[in-house]
Each structure stands twice: as structure tokens, then as C-alpha cells.
Amino acid sequence: MDSNYYILRDRKERSVVTGLILDQSGSTCKGFEGKSIYWHEKAAATLLAEAIQCVGDVFGIYSMYDFGPYASFFSVIKDFDEPFSKEQRLRMAKCQAPRSAASRFAPGLRHLIWKMSQREEKTKILFFITDGQANYCEYFDPKVQDAATPSLNQDQQDRKFGAKGPLGMRGEEYVFQDLLK
């Protein structure tokens, strides 16, 4: 081999875990194009899951809602170590958004962030699929923009996650503004 040439073998293995969490609050019962917003969330999660599965990454699908600060629900549709089989697809299809449920985002996001931090994968990605409508049943304080923002901004402190999203009290204003024009 000529001494002016060299071969560099740079083998990289993917080490990615992805968490998909769906907002299952009462505000997602509203209709859009003949289906509920929650139906659209599930369709988006299915498309993302199939794409993630194609590249061979580990992923989990979860949903969350609450009935106030003392009754938060975190549902496992597909856990990280489960295959994305017919059973998990049926589990997702059977999920419905309770009309009177609220959406305090922080407890569900904190739990999924904790769950993902226990994983060994180097890259951790979280998709929060929501209508953006903060639907708190306890209070509507204009000073409180969103309880989930501190959970998502935690990545600045511990550098585990790098994604942020626009969340606020009037989610429908930015979620549907382009669609309704």
C-alpha cells in the first residue's frame, strides 16, 4: 500500500432511545377534520414508531392525563423493552381521552425523563405529542404559563435532553393557526 494513503475505519454504533408521550387530556377530545385530536396524536405516534422501528432504535410509547394534582395517570402503551407488535397497536387503539381529564404536563414528563435516564443508551430523544392546550382543573392563573416548561428545560442543567417546545395556556392559537387559514 502506498504510504501517501491511509484507511480510517470509523465504526459508529447507534445508541438511541426515544420516548413518545401523548397528551390524553380532555382538550384532545375536540374534533379536527372529523376525528378527535387524540386520534391524530395516536396516528402521529404510530408513524413515528414505525420510522423509529425501521432504523432499529429502542423506543417506548406512553400517555398521560390527570384529575388534579393528586390523581396523575401515566399509561404504558409500549415499554422500551417490548416489541411494537399487534398487542401494543391494539393497546394504543383502545386508549381514549377522558373528557373531564386535565393536562398538568409536568408529572408525566418528569416520569418519562426519569425512566429514560435509567437507560444506558447515549442519545435520548423525547417527543411530546400534544394539542398544546393547558387544561388545568385546579387553577387558571395567567402568571402560570406552563408547568411542563421547567421539566423540559431541565436538560440545560443535566444535559440529558436537547429539545424544547412552545407550551402555553392558549395552545390552540399556535397549534392550529396555519391549518385554519
Side-chain angles (χ1 to χ4, degrees):
M1 183 171 231
D2 190 354
S3 62
N4 292 329
Y5 296 98
Y6 66 93
I7 296 174
L8 173 66
R9 294 179 194 244
D10 188 17
R11 184 180 182 141
K12 294 184 180 180
E13 290 185 30
R14 289 182 62 88
S15 179
V16 179
V17 64
T18 303
L20 307 172
I21 188 163
L22 308 177
D23 172 10
Q24 197 177 353
S25 64
S27 63
T28 62
C29 292
K30 295 176 186 173
F32 183 72
E33 294 185 354
K35 304 279 187 182
S36 72
I37 294 170
Y38 189 63
W39 183 91
H40 289 285
E41 287 181 12
K42 292 190 296 186
T46 302
L47 287 172
L48 278 169
E50 288 174 356
I52 294 166
Q53 188 176 24
C54 283
V55 295
D57 290 345
V58 176
F59 68 96
I61 305 172
Y62 308 90
S63 67
M64 52 117 195
Y65 65 94
D66 68 80
F67 291 105
Y70 304 109
S72 293
F73 295 89
F74 184 86
S75 304
V76 177
I77 296 170
K78 180 211 170 293
D79 214 351
F80 293 117
D81 298 324
E82 293 179 327
F84 192 46
S85 65
K86 186 176 181 178
E87 179 184 344
Q88 284 72 27
R89 291 170 194 266
L90 285 173
R91 214 181 283 168
M92 187 181 314
K94 290 179 182 178
C95 283
Q96 297 297 321
R99 290 201 178 276
S100 60
S103 57
R104 291 173 61 250
F105 300 133
L109 289 172
R110 272 196 304 265
H111 185 66
L112 185 54
I113 288 170
W114 173 82
K115 213 169 163 50
M116 291 176 74
S117 71
Q118 304 302 305
R119 304 284 305 178
E120 294 180 7
E121 288 83 3
K122 292 178 183 174
T123 304
K124 297 167 174 54
I125 302 169
L126 188 149
F127 286 100
F128 180 34
I129 303 173
T130 179
D131 63 349
Q133 179 75 31
N135 185 23
Y136 303 111
C137 62
E138 293 295 312
Y139 55 87
F140 287 95
D141 186 349
K143 294 178 185 175
V144 179
Q145 286 298 307
D146 188 12
T149 304
S151 297
L152 290 174
N153 288 340
Q154 184 178 354
D155 71 304
Q156 291 179 349
Q157 296 166 359
D158 56 16
R159 295 295 205 188
K160 289 182 185 166
F161 298 94
K164 295 179 187 161
L167 300 171
M169 294 296 279
R170 293 173 298 280
E172 71 279 359
E173 291 177 8
Y174 58 83
V175 173
F176 298 117
Q177 65 185 353
D178 293 331
L179 298 173
L180 297 175
K181 287 182 182 177

